[in-house]
Amino acid sequence: MFLPKTFAPINCKNVLIEGVTLERGLYWNIVPQYCENVIIRGVTVSSFGHGRTDGIDIDSSRGVLIEYCSLDCQDDCYTMKSGRGEDGLRVNRPTENVVIRKSIALRGAGGMVCGTETAGGVRNVYMADCVFDGTDQAFRFKTRRPRGGFVENVYVERVRADIKHQALYCDMLGSAKWVGELAKRYPAREVTKLTPWFRNISIHDVEITACRQLVDVGGLPEKVLKNIFFGNVKARCGKIGRVRDASKFSMKDVRVETADSVLEIDNCDFASFFGFSNTATGRPVDIRKKGGECRYLNVQTYPLAPVTYNSIRPGEVWLDTEGKPIQAHGFQVTRIGDKYYWYGEDKTNTLFGTNMMFGGVRCYSSTDFYNWKDEGLIVTPDPDPASPTHHCQKLERPHILRSPKTGRWVCWLKSQSNDGHFVILEADSFMGPYRYVRSLKPCGFAVGDFDMYSDPETGKGYVWFERPHWEQICAELTDDYLDASGKYSEHFVGQTPPLTREAAAHFVMDGRHYIYTSGTTGYTPNPSEVAVFDDYHGDYKTLGNPHIGDPYDHSFCSQITSVIKIPGKNLYVAMADRWQPHTNKTDIPKKEWNSFLKRYKDHRPYPRDFKTPRPADRFYTLVNPNQDVYKATYVFLPIVVKDGVPMIEWKDEWRIEDYD
């Protein structure tokens, strides 16, 4: 005998459930099944006391909005389902495109739940601005081996929870009561159509006022969880917990207050922990491997208080004078007066599952090159979603020059929209505010990574940029630096990825012009080259790989963005981003390099396009797991000249004072 569901529309369209209160239900309360375009608004469910009373179950339905609801249940609260086993696979109707916002869950097994019935799949679920006050778990993902289906693309932000048990809970094994021997983790089973899988789950900006355990996450050894992010979290907990059978599990800026100090990980490849600390001890959480191998583990810790530096340690997390990690990537370092200014992309909130691709340009100042004060954003994203500088636009590599003719400061940014173009801003002072001037494809070319230079003798400005993915262009600027004059030259022509030269970093040494360039393999590091020239539009002579003693052939796991001369010393410093710290001293870059050789074998350049670029509609474009580079670090190394070639040699630690 089946207990009755309280309200269960089936095969309906345009369903509105609003302003009702449901009390003392015996089973699931609100269950739209096989429905489309559903709004559940201002609903109250009070059914605590009966063991199987779910609040709202969205079952194999699409286009659902849940808002301003309050659920007090014995079982799951806001729940996504889509059938189970062979029958669910036969029907094959996913639950998808669900928004849950501004709602509360009181008692119940889980606040936001996916499963256990997932055979038809659950995808594209967004929850924001919710409160869980008394649930057993906050975020609950569950299935069983024979139930099939998937859960993917679940994004949660801004949740406050006071819970009894785990904050983040994922169980794909279940109990022997329901599935017998299949509940045992090992041996790993053969992957079949009934093997469930979970991927792309992002939960951030969360406050857990109380819980027994922060995380209890377990996939299947034969089908591991993929791309799980838990970040910007404050929590009080009894225990920290464990993670098993996961790939690309990431935790960012998680602050726990607990007597425990250990997170156990087991069979977790590409796991990343950035700023995971225990405020009760003032120390980082101990990430402890147990059982299965954990390949490419990336643990980046830093103190919970400011640090004063008197040396440079390449590749380590670098803190500003307030004790926060420096966020200025794809950067430039310049000197104005008696101060250095380091400015670049602020990736603090460029988190997996958000559309915060552009966080603005953040600037830091220093008098000693070691300790950097946060001066704030000098380029702020425009709140207008149609603006070329809105936070959803993929804007990178800021370069700022002062035009000798106008006296104004000009900022160029690379936009990844429309095959790549420049977004140009202008300000009356270096620190801004900057105002939008135009978007530009110089000389009609699409653009990739770039560098800029103002010749102090002639006052002329130049920009070097990759023409994706084929060659480097050197183009002259107009006198106001707001446009390209039309004169340009082509260099390193006809080289396809990974050999295409990108990320130019130009500098002048002893009267000669040098340019470092990187190969092209996305965010994965690869070999650099250095070239020399005397004429901007003349021959560029390649001098080879400048990195001395780099056994992994990946530029010390970095990509050079800027070179600066230290005043009063014969010292030049090459400065780079380490975009993917987990690839350091691994075979990942070489594998990626080889894959690009095959992928771009027959590539040809984009045609010239003289149309004025427009901002792409990127509002619903989300940051993917390969783009959440908030955990990138920096590699600053001195340049040494050997046989006339400006080379870069690794040093674990170095000081400016050690150079003449």
Side-chain angles (χ1 to χ4, degrees):
M1 178 182 294
F2 293 98
L3 294 171
K5 300 173 183 176
T6 307
F7 182 77
I10 301 176
N11 276 320
C12 297
K13 290 186 177 181
N14 304 326
V15 178
L16 173 63
I17 308 169
E18 184 172 19
V20 299
T21 297
L22 305 179
E23 294 188 354
R24 292 182 293 176
L26 297 177
Y27 192 47
W28 300 354
N29 281 274
I30 297 176
V31 193
Q33 187 173 36
Y34 308 145
C35 293
E36 294 186 28
N37 305 332
V38 179
I39 297 176
I40 304 173
R41 177 185 293 134
V43 168
T44 300
V45 173
S46 180
S47 60
F48 188 82
H50 301 280
R52 300 177 68 185
T53 53
D54 286 9
I56 297 173
D57 290 274
I58 308 303
D59 192 351
S60 299
S61 297
R62 64 195 306 261
V64 180
L65 171 63
I66 302 170
E67 60 183 1
Y68 308 112
C69 292
S70 177
L71 308 182
D72 188 13
C73 313
Q74 186 81 33
D75 209 336
D76 296 333
C77 294
Y78 301 95
T79 309
M80 316 305 129
K81 299 179 179 291
S82 63
R84 72 167 69 174
E86 294 281 2
D87 184 61
L89 291 178
R90 178 185 59 80
V91 175
N92 194 31
R93 293 184 66 169
T95 281
E96 58 186 349
N97 306 338
V98 179
V99 173
I100 308 161
R101 64 187 184 188
K102 300 178 181 177
S103 293
I104 188 169
L106 300 173
R107 292 168 293 183
M112 197 280 289
V113 183
C114 291
T116 55
E117 296 81 11
T118 60
V122 174
R123 65 161 69 97
N124 305 341
V125 179
Y126 174 69
M127 170 179 270
D129 304 309
C130 291
V131 174
F132 306 148
D133 190 5
T135 57
D136 291 345
Q137 294 152 346
F139 313 107
R140 191 180 195 201
F141 301 87
K142 52 181 182 159
T143 187
R144 307 289 182 262
R145 268 186 173 123
R147 294 199 173 182
F150 61 88
V151 174
E152 67 175 353
N153 305 339
V154 177
Y155 307 117
V156 180
E157 60 183 343
R158 299 189 301 277
V159 170
R160 183 174 62 82
D162 188 306
I163 54 179
K164 297 177 181 177
H165 300 303
Q166 299 93 341
L168 174 58
Y169 177 79
C170 181
D171 175 19
M172 300 185 73
L173 290 171
S175 69
K177 176 181 178 181
W178 303 109
V179 293
E181 289 291 312
L182 291 178
K184 292 183 178 180
R185 183 181 175 202
Y186 291 114
R189 271 48 176 198
E190 178 185 359
V191 175
T192 71
K193 65 180 181 179
L194 290 176
T195 303
W197 51 269
F198 289 179
R199 69 182 183 190
N200 297 352
I201 298 170
S202 175
I203 301 170
H204 63 90
D205 297 340
V206 172
E207 182 178 358
I208 309 292
T209 55
C211 67
R212 189 185 74 193
Q213 185 171 322
L214 183 66
V215 294
D216 187 0
V217 173
L220 300 174
E222 67 269 22
K223 200 73 174 179
V224 299
L225 297 159
K226 290 187 176 180
N227 301 331
I228 312 298
F229 176 82
F230 195 44
N232 295 3
V233 176
K234 294 181 180 179
R236 292 191 185 97
C237 56
K239 294 178 60 178
I240 297 174
R242 63 179 183 173
V243 180
R244 302 185 301 177
D245 300 323
S247 176
K248 295 187 178 179
F249 181 91
S250 299
M251 299 182 76
K252 171 191 182 289
D253 290 339
V254 176
R255 299 285 186 264
V256 294
E257 183 181 331
T258 177
D260 189 18
S261 62
V262 176
L263 174 73
E264 290 185 351
I265 60 173
D266 183 351
N267 189 32
C268 293
D269 291 345
F270 299 96
S272 176
F273 302 93
F274 182 88
F276 189 8
S277 299
N278 186 350
T279 58
T281 63
R283 297 178 59 82
V285 168
D286 181 8
I287 310 299
R288 193 170 295 175
K289 291 186 282 187
K290 178 181 179 180
E293 183 182 6
C294 297
R295 299 180 304 159
Y296 313 125
L297 178 63
N298 177 33
V299 179
Q300 296 173 267
T301 62
Y302 53 87
L304 299 181
V307 175
T308 299
Y309 298 103
N310 57 16
S311 66
I312 293 173
R313 298 181 179 181
E316 295 189 8
V317 176
W318 203 337
L319 306 181
D320 64 22
T321 54
E322 296 179 356
K324 299 176 182 177
I326 292 173
Q327 284 288 349
H329 300 284
F331 61 91
Q332 295 291 294
V333 178
T334 188
R335 188 175 174 92
I336 303 173
D338 61 353
K339 283 188 178 181
Y340 299 98
Y341 291 90
W342 174 357
Y343 61 91
E345 307 159 36
D346 185 346
K347 295 294 187 181
T348 305
N349 297 309
T350 303
L351 304 179
F352 165 43
T354 73
N355 70 347
M356 300 289 292
M357 191 65 73
F358 176 59
V361 178
R362 188 167 291 276
C363 183
Y364 298 83
S365 67
S366 175
T367 57
D368 61 8
F369 208 67
Y370 300 134
N371 299 282
W372 296 86
K373 177 186 176 184
D374 183 4
E375 300 286 356
L377 293 178
I378 59 174
V379 176
T380 304
D382 190 322
D384 180 0
S387 168
T389 60
H390 185 259
H391 68 246
C392 68
Q393 298 297 320
K394 194 167 189 281
L395 299 176
E396 301 176 333
R397 306 252 170 184
H399 285 70
I400 300 174
L401 297 178
R402 185 174 182 272
S403 165
K405 180 180 180 180
T406 66
R408 288 191 285 271
W409 297 87
V410 179
C411 177
W412 287 43
L413 292 151
K414 179 195 76 172
S415 171
Q416 288 289 71
S417 300
N418 303 318
D419 297 334
H421 63 267
F422 288 121
V423 171
I424 302 173
L425 315 172
E426 189 179 42
D428 296 321
S429 70
F430 174 78
M431 298 300 291
Y434 286 83
R435 51 193 174 272
Y436 173 72
V437 177
R438 66 165 55 91
S439 297
L440 171 69
K441 286 188 175 180
C443 310
F445 292 116
V447 307
D449 292 349
F450 72 105
D451 194 14
M452 302 184 75
Y453 179 63
S454 176
D455 191 313
E457 295 183 3
T458 66
K460 287 186 176 181
Y462 298 86
V463 58
W464 292 266
F465 61 90
E466 176 208 5
R467 179 191 180 194
H469 295 293
W470 190 251
E471 63 185 341
Q472 278 275 322
I473 302 291
C474 176
E476 291 188 13
L477 309 183
T478 54
D479 289 344
D480 57 11
Y481 292 2
L482 296 174
D483 205 342
S485 69
K487 184 177 181 180
Y488 68 90
S489 54
E490 299 167 280
H491 308 276
F492 314 119
V493 179
Q495 300 187 69
T496 57
L499 300 170
T500 309
R501 309 319 303 166
E502 69 169 9
H506 164 269
F507 62 103
V508 179
M509 177 186 289
D510 297 330
R512 303 204 73 188
H513 294 265
Y514 295 89
I515 191 166
Y516 290 127
T517 56
S518 166
T520 305
T521 52
Y523 284 111
T524 308
N526 55 64
S528 297
E529 282 186 355
V530 61
V532 63
F533 60 91
D534 296 306
D535 181 349
Y536 295 101
H537 301 302
D539 293 331
Y540 288 28
K541 180 183 177 183
T542 300
L543 302 176
N545 188 335
H547 290 88
I548 303 171
D550 175 15
Y552 298 93
D553 210 20
H554 60 8
S555 308
F556 301 134
C557 195
S558 70
Q559 185 182 60
I560 303 168
T561 64
S562 186
V563 176
I564 192 169
K565 184 180 186 301
I566 303 300
K569 291 183 175 288
N570 187 27
L571 173 62
Y572 291 77
V573 181
M575 298 163 287
D577 274 300
R578 180 171 281 178
W579 290 112
Q580 295 187 340
H582 69 276
T583 65
N584 191 34
K585 298 182 180 180
T586 74
D587 59 354
I588 296 173
K590 186 170 290 186
K591 289 179 178 178
E592 191 73 0
W593 176 272
N594 289 330
S595 74
F596 269 61
L597 286 171
K598 298 175 183 177
R599 198 183 316 170
Y600 286 91
K601 181 180 178 182
D602 299 317
H603 175 78
R604 290 297 176 266
Y606 296 129
R608 293 174 68 183
D609 180 1
F610 291 93
K611 295 179 182 178
T612 300
R614 299 180 182 277
D617 182 3
R618 297 181 56 94
F619 192 80
Y620 297 104
T621 301
L622 303 182
V623 177
N624 69 50
N626 293 322
Q627 295 170 327
D628 59 351
V629 292
Y630 59 84
K631 53 186 174 286
T633 57
Y634 309 98
V635 175
F636 283 32
L637 289 168
I639 295 173
V640 294
V641 178
K642 295 194 175 184
D643 298 324
V645 180
M647 306 291 283
I648 304 166
E649 190 170 21
W650 179 260
K651 291 182 178 296
D652 292 330
E653 183 177 10
W654 64 278
R655 302 176 72 251
I656 292 172
E657 290 76 11
D658 295 336
Y659 292 82
D660 296 331

